[in-house]
Amino acid sequence: QVQLVESGGGLVQPGGSLRLSCAASGTIFSINVMGWYRQAPGKQRELVARMSSGGDTNYADSVKGRFTISRDNAANTVYVEMNNLKPDDTAVYYCNLDQWIAGRTYDYWGQGTQVTVSS
């Protein structure tokens, strides 16, 4: 079993910055993908950014140039630095970890952390 614990959400003014952290614990294999998704009220959950244990990244077009994902593999922790935040970034942000064992995908989620961008 894997547990994901997020931190760092909050209220920020437009143009401000926040850094989210997610620490994973439990049975974690060396090859995995960790990332962030978000869900705004009335909308589907969407990818924000994710990063493989090998360092490959991908970002949603809406956050490119503003958000930066990073991770500490030794600590099983993933971060996202969010700059120039906009009201449209307001959502619950969820940490995700995917890993593969014997050809099967295991998908884990954190409990979510609220990010509100408002003046």
Side-chain angles (χ1 to χ4, degrees):
Q1 190 65 305
V2 172
Q3 296 79 40
L4 303 174
V5 178
E6 300 119 332
S7 60
L11 172 65
V12 64
Q13 292 187 340
S17 298
L18 281 176
R19 187 190 196 213
L20 305 183
S21 301
C22 171
S25 60
T27 304
I28 300 166
F29 288 81
S30 59
I31 298 174
N32 59 63
V33 176
M34 295 185 74
W36 294 92
Y37 290 71
R38 66 187 181 187
Q39 187 166 18
K43 295 187 177 181
Q44 290 188 333
R45 190 173 296 189
E46 63 177 5
L47 172 70
V48 175
R50 61 182 192 166
M51 188 173 189
S52 73
S53 49
D56 294 328
T57 60
N58 61 299
Y59 292 88
D61 287 343
S62 60
V63 307
K64 284 180 181 177
R66 300 188 298 122
F67 292 13
T68 302
I69 191 169
S70 61
R71 58 185 289 172
D72 180 342
N73 288 337
N76 293 316
T77 301
V78 66
Y79 309 93
V80 62
E81 184 75 31
M82 306 185 294
N83 297 314
N84 191 20
L85 282 160
K86 305 175 180 181
D88 284 349
D89 296 317
T90 296
V92 178
Y93 284 68
Y94 295 92
C95 180
N96 171 260
L97 184 149
D98 285 337
Q99 56 186 6
W100 299 269
I101 306 166
R104 181 176 174 180
T105 300
Y106 291 81
D107 187 46
Y108 303 96
W109 294 91
Q111 79 285 358
T113 184
Q114 178 70 46
V115 171
T116 302
V117 184
S118 175
S119 55

